[in-house]
Amino acid sequence: MERQIINKKKRVFSLEPNKNPSAVFTRKYTSHLVPALKKLNMNKNSSKQTVKHEVDMALALSAQEFPWSRFLLQKLSSSSNPTTTTSSSSDGIRILERPDKEGGNEEGGIEERLRELKKLLPGGEEMNVEEMLSEIGNYIKCLELQTIALKSIVQDST
Amino acid sequence: MDLSVLDRLKWLQQQQMVSPEFLQILGSDGREELKRVESYLGNNNDELQSFRHFPEFGPDYDTTDGCISRTSSFQMEPVKNSGHNRAISLQNKRKPEGKTEKREKKKIKAEDETESSMKGKTNMSNTETSSEIQKPDYIHVRARRGEATDRHSLAERARREKISKKMKCLQDIVPGCNKVTGKAGMLDEIINYVQSLQQQVEFLSMKLSVINPELECHIDDLSAKQFQAYFTAEADSKQSIMADFRSFPLHQQGSIDYSVMNGTVIISLCSNKSFIIPKFLLLVREVTYFFFLFCRKIRHHQAGKLTHNVFTTA
């Protein structure tokens, strides 16, 4: 098949495999998540932690260099049934509707939106605006990589 | 009182540090005017100690309380020395702007802003100039027309610029932000994007929890090298196989489906559109590329169910 031929040609060996941050993150993430899932699988009786918990934990562990991961870790370890990112989804519907009402009010609207953004980021409410904005960028990238990894795992096992 | 005139003077002196020649330009009567300004300010406020240290304005103050007339000091004669042309042109530039209204605007604004904290008019004006003078220690920002020049608004402005810089970075990260203009719209986009990402993660983890009991994971200890071999440090955008990929989080239009059937690996790549993939997605492609290659490898080595291989970091 064509694809095989293409793949044979494209096998490139990377000299500095640890320099690519996305690859490093993905590697770490899967290395945290899959064993955790296995463990979860095995301890079926005493499964206090949900898959969501493990997923978030893996995310936090793989992104240790960012402040938001520390907050996330704190949240996860403190509560047994954490509602870290799930809580935002209930707010999500509200937020999506609200911009229609606040369309005219630009000045006050920005403050509102910044506050909402702060709520989305773990630990965002303790940061000031500038810090929060830079952390949001990291958080978004890590979330993207996380979704890709999760999707591949899910797809692979179905 | 003509503080903007004084401001200009001080600013230019800071810029050039060629005060004696500068004074020559002013002419003799200009010097007197300057001295008068100095004395006027020097009497009123202790904050203006810095003024006393100006070399050309020695400690000989007259206690006159005259105001500088607006136009007299700065009738600049044409100067042959080219080095001062810049200063002159700067001064002259501000002249045609409509001196009266500019100064009044500035003055009024300064009064409004500092009225709460200041006691008298003179104090207000003095602090305004003192903050101007202290500027050379920090970032030198020229006040725009109609903007106040006190320290608070300068700091505020610097902060706002930092924030807008960061928003621009975020614009590159979040797809679809380029079309929306303005802070509010962009923030909206960012919020929606983060929420959709989080919801996706939630959904995927739910899915994972459903299929988890059936998950057969074998953590093989493949050598780290083998895994790294499939990653390229820099993504080659010419990889034709990747040309049609769209990343997952965006609108679910393209998807990479790895479906494993008995003994065969069918890898179907479906994408609805081909896009110019922004740079950050090139790294994403590497991950998917790895999985793709790996599935292919499994097919050769093992007919059967797909086994999970996890990177084991050494």
Side-chain angles (χ1 to χ4, degrees), chain B residues 253-310:
Chain B
Q253 284 184 19
S255 60
I256 303 168
D257 293 321
Y258 297 87
S259 38
V260 181
M261 308 200 13
N262 297 333
T264 59
V265 174
I266 296 175
I267 298 165
S268 57
L269 312 164
C270 48
S271 64
N272 297 344
K273 301 177 192 173
S274 61
F275 276 77
I276 300 168
I277 300 172
K279 250 188 196 168
F280 76 96
L281 288 178
L282 297 179
L283 303 171
V284 160
R285 293 191 313 202
E286 292 178 37
V287 177
T288 53
Y289 185 60
F290 166 79
F291 277 106
F292 174 77
L293 288 174
F294 187 72
C295 293
R296 202 186 125 262
K297 188 179 177 188
I298 288 296
R299 180 171 62 166
H300 288 305
H301 290 270
Q302 222 173 350
K305 292 183 190 156
L306 181 74
T307 59
H308 253 294
N309 279 297
V310 180

Side-chain angles (χ1 to χ4, degrees), chain A residues 57-147:
Chain A
M57 182 69 85
L59 175 66
L61 290 174
S62 341
Q64 295 260 350
E65 56 263 20
F66 302 127
W68 53 261
S69 73
R70 293 197 288 272
F71 281 105
L72 189 57
L73 219 47
Q74 263 181 3
K75 254 189 258 188
L76 288 174
S77 48
S78 60
S79 55
S80 59
N81 271 338
T83 52
T84 50
T85 52
T86 50
S87 57
S88 61
S89 53
S90 54
D91 299 342
I93 304 168
R94 257 199 303 135
I95 289 168
L96 291 171
E97 287 175 357
R98 211 194 296 168
D100 299 331
K101 298 173 192 168
E102 280 200 24
N105 186 9
E106 168 110 357
E107 269 310 312
I110 289 182
E111 288 294 325
E112 287 279 337
R113 289 169 176 114
L114 281 174
R115 256 180 279 141
E116 289 299 335
L117 206 53
K118 275 191 184 182
K119 282 191 212 161
L120 289 176
L121 182 72
E125 299 185 348
E126 281 95 13
M127 303 180 193
N128 59 8
V129 179
E130 307 170 358
E131 208 185 331
M132 192 267 300
L133 284 178
S134 34
E135 290 303 316
I136 274 274
N138 303 324
Y139 186 60
I140 288 176
K141 281 214 174 162
C142 289
L143 276 183
E144 285 172 358
L145 293 172
Q146 186 187 24
T147 50

Side-chain angles (χ1 to χ4, degrees), chain A residues 7 10 12 14 88 96 144, chain B residues 192-193 198 229 231 289 292:
Chain A
N7 291 334
K10 299 290 182 185
V12 179
S14 154
S88 61
L96 291 171
E144 285 172 358
Chain B
N192 289 341
Y193 189 59
Q198 285 175 342
F231 277 93
Y289 185 60
F292 174 77

